C-alpha cells in the first residue's frame, strides 16, 4: 500500500479505518487503480517516478465529515490535499502538491444551497460544477446567468479558489472577486464562516462581502490555510439581449489605439464582455484566439504569398504584410467585444464604442453582430461562443486535438501565464522578450509553444491587466515532457526578470513561481508561512500548495 | 506626562527620544495641547475620563521611518495606533482604540506616487486626501475621476481600510474593493508588498489584484496586522457625460417593485450610480436622504394636513397618506439614479430603466435630468450632488448643523449602520424592529435618532446589500452622550438578534460588534487572534482595533 511520507503502513491502515468510520468505507480509496484516477491527467511528469501520487483519497459528503477527517489527520499528522472536483487541468489537476498526501475529494458535496434571481447570487458546495448549477438554473427557470470558464465541468468553488476566470461581463469574470461569503474547515477541525456568514441569522451572507473586521476570504485562495466547504457567488441578472461585435484596425501601429480603446470602454463599463484580440492578418501562425475564430468563422483566407509575408514579419510586423492587408481589406488587428443588457443599451454601447474607436484608430472598421436574446439557442446555433453567454460546455477540449486544427495532437497541455501590463507596449515587449528567449535559450529551441509565433496576443479575462498565455503540449514521451518542463522553468525565470509574474501555475512550478515574488527577501512568502504555522501548526493541509510549506517541510534558504 | 499602560515615564521618555531620532523632534508630540488634537472630535465619551487618549503622537515622513518607529515600539513594547489622516469622524476619528497608545500619524506621507489616465489608477500614500488627489488630477488635466466619500478631507488609504464608501459607479464605491496593491509595514518592522508589488520590476501593481498565492490585502483592513504605507486604487475613466434622473413610484406597496428594479438595473450594470431612495410623501419626518433633496430641490411642499397624515402613518403607511399623495401627485417613493458614459449610452440606459421600472411599478413616473458633461461646473452650479461626479467637498458637515435644517445643533454624530438584505421586506422589517425598539426599550425612548422616524430608507453605497444607517448626535452634555452610548449598544444587540451586523462602528463599540459575529463560538474572532499572535506577537500594533486584542490584553471569555 502507498503511505504518506513518515507514516507506517499500520498507522496508515488505522487512519484509513478511521476515515472509513466517518465517510463510509466505499468512500475511502487506496487501491492503485483508484489512486491512478487522482493523478494529474495532464502531468508533465506522467510516466515518471516523480509524478505526484495520492496515498489514498477520502470523499466526505458534508462539512461535518470534512471536520472529522481533518481532526483525524491532525491527530495522526497525515497530510491532506483538498480538491473540489480536481478539474483544473493544465494547472495541476487532482494530484497533491506533496506526493503521498491523502486527497480529500469534495465531489460528493454537491449541494446547491441557494440561488436567487432577485438578489442574483448562489451559494454552493465545492462539488457543484458549472454544469450542475447551469442545469439547476434552467430547470427552475431562474433569470440569472453564470460566468463559466472554458470547460464547464469544473467546480465553481475550486475554480474561484484557483483564481480562475470566465467569459461574460468583467464584473463576473474574476471568479474569486465575484464570490461573496465562505465557509471553511480549519486545520483544527473547527468550522468558520466569513463575512456576514459569521452573524447568526444573517440573510446577507452572499450579498455583503466585507463583513466586520479583517476581510480574510482571500487568504483561502491559492493556499492551504483551510478547506473551503461553501461559497457564495454574485451572478449576472439574465440580460434581455446580447451582441458580439468586432472592431477592426488596419495598421500595425493601431495596436496602441486599439488597446487604449479597450481599456477606456471596459473600465467605463460600456463594453463589459472580454475584449478578445486577434490578428486576422497573422492568423495562420498559431494565435490561439484564432481557434475560436476558426470555430465560428472558418479558417482565414490564406495563400502562399500571405504565408510568406507572415513568416517574414518581425514582432508581427512587415511593411509588405501591412500593405497586403490594406489591399485585401484584412485587418491587422481586431477586438471582439460582447455587450449585455436591454436591446437599446446594447445598441447604444456598440454605437458609442464605434465613435470612440474611430477617434483613436484611423480607418477603423466595424463588424456589427446580431442582437440576440436566447443564450442557449445562440450557443446551439454557433452564433456566439457559448461561454460568452454563460453556457457551459466542453468544446474547449478540442484545443490540442486534431479537431482543434493541430497537426500533432497532445495528451494534455499546460499554460505559462504571466501578468503583463495592459498596453500595446506591454504586448510588444512580451512578444520581443519571449520570442528572443525561444530563439536564444537552448532548452526553448525547437519546442512547440502554443501561441508564441508569429505573434501572441494576450488574454482579456481579467480587467485592467493582460495575461500573456503561452502553452505547451504534454505528450507520452517523458523526454519531450522533461524538455518542456525545463523550458517552462526558463520562461518563468525570463518573465520574472521583466516583472511579469504568473497568475497561476501547475503544481510542480509553484515553488519556483512563489520564489519570484521576491520583494524584500521574499517577505510575502515568509508572511504566508507565519500564518500557516499559526493556523495549521502541524502542517496537515495541502502542504506545498502554491509554495507554502509547513515548517517541518520547509527548505531553509 | 502621559504614558502607555505599563510603561514608566523614564522608559517612555527614552522611547520618545528614539522616535525623535527617527522622525525629528518636531514630529513627536507629547504636550497636552497637541495630544488633545488626537482625541476623537466626535467622541461620545468627550469630557469624561474614559475618553480615549494618545500618550504621544509620532509623524513619520516615509515608510522607512515607519519601519524604524515600529522597530523601536517592538523593542520597547509600546502600543502604537496608526492613522492615515484620522478623519473618520463618526467612526472613531484619530483616537486610539487602546488609550495610551502612541498615535502614528501618517499625514506627512502624502506622496502621490503615480496616476495613470491610460490605465486609470493611482498609487498613493496614506496622507493623501481626496482633495489632494483631486487637485493633482485637475492640475495635470488627467482624464480620470475619483470616487469620494461625503467629506473630501479624508485619506484614500484610511477610508478604504475602514471600508468606506463613495457615490459614483458601483464598481468604485466600495473603496476597499476598488483598491489594487498594497505596501505594509509589519509589526517586526519589515516592509511587504502585496499582489504584483511583490514581483520586482512589475508594472502591474495597481493593475492586477490577485497576485500569486493567497490574497492577503483584506486582512489589513479593519484590523491591526500591519501599517499600510501605500495603496493602489482603480479609477473611473472620465466619462463624456453624466445624468441624474428620478424614478417615482406612486403607492406604498411599490416599494417592492422599486427595490427589485434597483437590483436588476444595478447588477446588470446599466444604472451604475448609487440608487438613492427617498420618500417625498414622508419627507417631512427626518429622512436623511431629504437633506440632499432639500439641498438641491428646496423643502418639500407640506401643509398641516400632510404633516398629520405622516404622523399617523404606521411603518410609513396610511391609506389616507397614500390617497393624499396620489391626489397631489407626490410619489410615495423615489429612487435617484446616476448614469455615466457617452451621451448616447447615458440616454439609452435611462430609457431602458424607464421601460424596466414601468413593467415593475404600475403608474411609475419619471423625472429626467439634463445630460451634463462638466463635473466641476455641474457641482458648482448645484446641478448635481458633487460626490456623484467625484468632486470632493465638505458640505456634508452641514449635516448636524443649523444649515442642515436641524432645530438643535450637535457637536458630532455617530452612525449605527447595520447591513440588511437588499429587499423591500428587508427595509420594512428593519423599520418595524427598530421603530418598536425605540418605542419599547427604555434607553431608546426620547432619544433623537436621525432617520428613524417616520420611516427610514437605507443607504445604497454598497452593491447588493443595504446599509440601514441611523445616527445619533453627540452633544456637550455627558449625561446625554451616556444615554446615547447605551442606546447604541441596544441597537447593536437588537440588530444582531435579527442577523443585521454592523459594517463599521465607532471604536468604543468594536468589541461588542465583533462579539456579535459569533458563529461557532466566535471562531472568526479567534482566527483573527491566531493571526494577530503570529504576525504581531508582542501586540504593539493598534491593540483592540476592530475587537482584535493581542494575547496579553485579551479578555478570557
Amino acid at each position: 500500500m502507498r503511505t504518506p511520507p513518515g507514516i507506517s503502513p499500520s498507522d496508515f491502515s488505522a487512519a484509513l479505518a478511521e476515515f472509513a468510520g466517518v465517510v463510509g468505507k466505499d468512500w475511502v480509496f487506496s487501491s492503485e487503480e483508484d489512486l491512478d484516477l487522482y493523478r494529474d491527467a495532464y502531468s508533465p511528469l506522467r510516466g515518471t517516478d516523480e509524478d505526484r501520487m495520492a496515498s489514498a483519497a477520502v470523499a466526505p459528503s458534508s462539512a461535518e465529515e470534512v471536520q472529522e477527517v481533518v481532526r483525524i489527520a491532525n491527530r495522526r499528522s497525515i497530510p491532506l490535499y483538498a480538491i473540489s472536483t480536481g478539474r483544473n487541468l493544465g494547472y495541476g489537476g487532482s494530484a497533491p502538491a506533496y506526493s503521498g498526501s491523502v486527497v480529500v475529494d469534495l465531489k460528493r458535496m454537491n449541494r446547491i444551497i441557494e440561488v436567487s434571481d432577485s438578489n442574483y447570487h448562489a451559494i454552493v458546495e465545492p462539488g457543484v460544477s458549472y454544469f450542475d448549477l447551469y442545469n439547476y438554473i434552467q430547470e427552475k427557470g431562474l433569470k440569472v446567468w453564470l460566468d463559466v470558464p472554458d470547460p464547464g465541468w469544473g467546480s465553481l468553488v475550486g475554480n474561484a479558489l484557483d483564481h480562475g476566470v470566465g467569459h461574460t461581463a468583467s464584473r463576473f469574470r474574476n471568479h474569486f472577486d465575484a464570490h461573496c461569503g465562505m465557509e471553511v474547515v480549519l486545520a483544527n477541525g473547527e468550522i468558520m464562516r466569513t463575512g456576514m456568514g459569521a452573524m447568526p441569522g444573517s440573510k446577507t451572507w452572499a450579498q455583503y462581502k466585507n463583513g466586520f473586521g479583517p476581510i480574510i476570504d482571500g487568504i483561502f485562495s491559492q493556499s492551504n490555510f483551510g478547506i473551503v466547504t461553501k461559497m457564495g457567488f454574485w451572478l449576472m441578472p439574465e440580460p434581455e439581449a446580447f451582441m458580439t461585435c468586432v472592431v477592426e484596425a488596419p495598421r500595425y501601429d493601431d495596436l496602441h489605439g486599439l488597446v487604449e480603446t479597450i481599456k477606456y470602454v471596459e473600465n467605463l463599463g460600456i463594453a463589459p464582455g472580454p475584449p478578445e484580440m486577434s490578428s486576422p492578418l497573422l492568423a495562420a501562425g498559431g494565435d490561439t484566439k484564432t481557434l475560436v475564430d476558426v470555430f465560428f468563422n472558418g479558417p482565414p483566407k490564406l495563400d502562399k504569398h500571405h504565408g510568406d509575408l507572415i513568416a517574414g514579419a518581425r514582432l508581427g510586423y512587415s511593411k509588405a504584410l501591412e500593405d497586403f492587408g490594406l489591399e485585401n481589406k484584412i485587418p491587422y488587428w481586431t477586438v471582439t467585444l460582447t455587450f449585455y443588457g436591454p436591446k437599446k443599451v446594447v445598441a447604444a454601447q456598440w454605437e458609442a464604442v464605434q465613435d470612440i474607436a474611430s477617434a483613436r484608430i484611423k480607418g477603423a472598421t466595424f463588424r456589427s453582430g446580431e442582437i440576440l436574446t436566447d443564450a442557449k439557442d445562440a450557443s446551439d446555433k454557433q452564433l456566439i461562443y457559448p461561454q460568452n453567454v454563460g453556457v457551459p460546455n466542453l468544446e474547449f477540449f478540442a484545443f490540442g486535438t486534431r479537431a482543434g486544427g493541430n497537426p500533432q495532437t497532445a495528451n494534455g497541455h499546460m499554460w505559462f501565464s504571466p501578468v503583463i501590463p495592459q498596453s500595446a507596449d506591454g504586448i510588444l515587449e512580451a512578444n520581443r522578450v519571449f520570442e528572443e528567449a525561444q530563439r536564444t535559450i537552448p532548452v526553448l529551441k525547437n519546442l512547440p509553444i502554443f501561441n508564441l509565433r508569429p505573434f501572441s496576443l494576450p488574454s482579456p479575462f481579467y480587467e485592467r491587466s493582460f495575461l500573456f498565455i503561452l502553452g505547451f503540449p504534454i505528450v507520452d514521451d517523458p523526454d519531450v515532457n522533461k524538455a518542456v518542463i525545463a523550458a517552462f522553468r526558463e520562461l518563468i525565470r525570463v518573465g520574472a526578470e521583466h516583472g511579469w509574474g504568473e497568475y497561476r501555475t501547475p503544481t510542480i512550478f509553484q515553488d519556483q513561481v512563489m520564489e519570484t515574488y521576491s520583494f524584500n527577501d521574499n517577505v510575502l512568502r515568509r508572511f504566508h508561512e507565519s500564518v500557516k504555522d499559526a493556523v495549521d501548526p502541524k502542517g496537515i493541509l495541502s502542504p506545498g500548495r502554491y509554495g507554502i510549506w509547513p515548517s517541518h517541510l520547509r527548505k531553509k534558504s
Side-chain angles (χ1 to χ4, degrees), chain A residues 446-463:
Chain A
N446 306 319
L447 273 182
I449 303 183
F450 295 141
N451 198 24
L452 185 54
R453 290 263 169 76
F455 192 81
S456 180
L457 285 163
S459 289
F461 302 122
Y462 284 104
E463 311 165 87

Side-chain angles (χ1 to χ4, degrees), chain A residues 14 42 93 142 157 162 215 255 277 331 362 441 467:
Chain A
Y42 283 13
L142 299 173
V157 170
D162 223 37
I215 303 170
L255 188 62
M277 299 175 76
K362 200 184 151 193
I441 297 176
L467 296 178

Side-chain angles (χ1 to χ4, degrees), chain A residues 129-149:
Chain A
S129 73
Y130 292 95
F131 281 122
D132 293 338
L133 187 54
Y134 179 80
N135 291 337
Y136 179 94
I137 287 167
Q138 298 312 306
E139 278 161 27
K140 305 264 177 193
L142 299 173
K143 302 294 182 197
V144 286
W145 272 18
L146 296 186
D147 183 280
V148 305

Side-chain angles (χ1 to χ4, degrees), chain A residues 189-405:
Chain A
E190 283 207 278
I191 192 156
M192 181 169 78
R193 290 180 175 176
T194 69
M196 301 312 289
M199 162 74 54
S202 170
K203 297 191 180 79
T204 53
W205 194 12
Q207 293 181 35
Y208 180 65
K209 279 181 168 189
N210 295 352
F212 185 81
I215 303 170
I216 61 169
D217 295 38
I219 72 171
F220 298 103
S221 73
Q222 291 197 348
S223 75
N224 51 19
F225 299 149
I227 297 179
V228 176
T229 48
K230 282 189 189 70
M231 268 174 98
F233 291 95
W234 286 357
L235 306 178
M236 200 202 301
E238 181 181 280
E240 182 196 344
F242 49 89
M243 175 169 59
T244 292
C245 302
V246 182
V247 179
E248 301 173 327
R251 290 176 183 76
Y252 183 79
D253 280 345
D254 293 334
L255 188 62
H256 296 271
L258 196 70
V259 173
E260 295 307 301
T261 300
I262 287 172
K263 291 192 285 192
Y264 180 76
V265 299
E266 176 160 37
N267 294 326
L268 195 53
I270 64 170
E276 292 272 0
M277 299 175 76
S278 185
S279 172
L281 198 54
L282 293 165
D287 174 0
T288 56
K289 293 303 164 304
T290 62
L291 295 176
V292 175
D293 273 359
V294 166
F295 186 73
F296 291 117
N297 305 323
K301 290 183 205 77
L302 263 189
D303 56 25
K304 179 161 183 320
H305 174 60
H306 184 189
D308 290 344
L309 291 176
I310 292 168
R314 173 93 182 95
L315 274 186
Y317 176 71
S318 84
K319 176 78 170 65
L321 185 65
E322 188 173 78
D323 289 343
F324 177 87
L326 289 167
E327 208 168 298
N328 293 279
K329 297 203 185 309
I330 306 175
Y332 225 113
W333 315 109
T334 61
V335 62
T336 303
L337 298 170
T338 305
F339 304 88
Y340 310 95
K343 286 179 188 176
K344 56 184 67 163
V345 172
V346 163
Q349 287 179 331
W350 172 228
E351 270 182 50
V353 167
Q354 293 177 70
D355 296 343
I356 292 160
S358 295
R360 290 170 189 245
I361 304 161
K362 200 184 151 193
T365 51
F366 304 97
R367 278 194 285 139
S368 300
E370 198 185 336
I371 295 188
L372 302 167
T373 57
D374 185 328
K376 179 71 170 55
D377 183 63
S379 299
D380 288 347
K381 292 182 179 153
Q382 303 192 356
L383 299 174
I384 197 160
Y385 187 57
Q387 288 86 331
N388 283 143
V389 288
V391 178
N393 64 75
L394 292 173
E395 291 292 341
F396 188 72
F397 287 111
F399 174 88
T401 68
R402 282 212 175 77

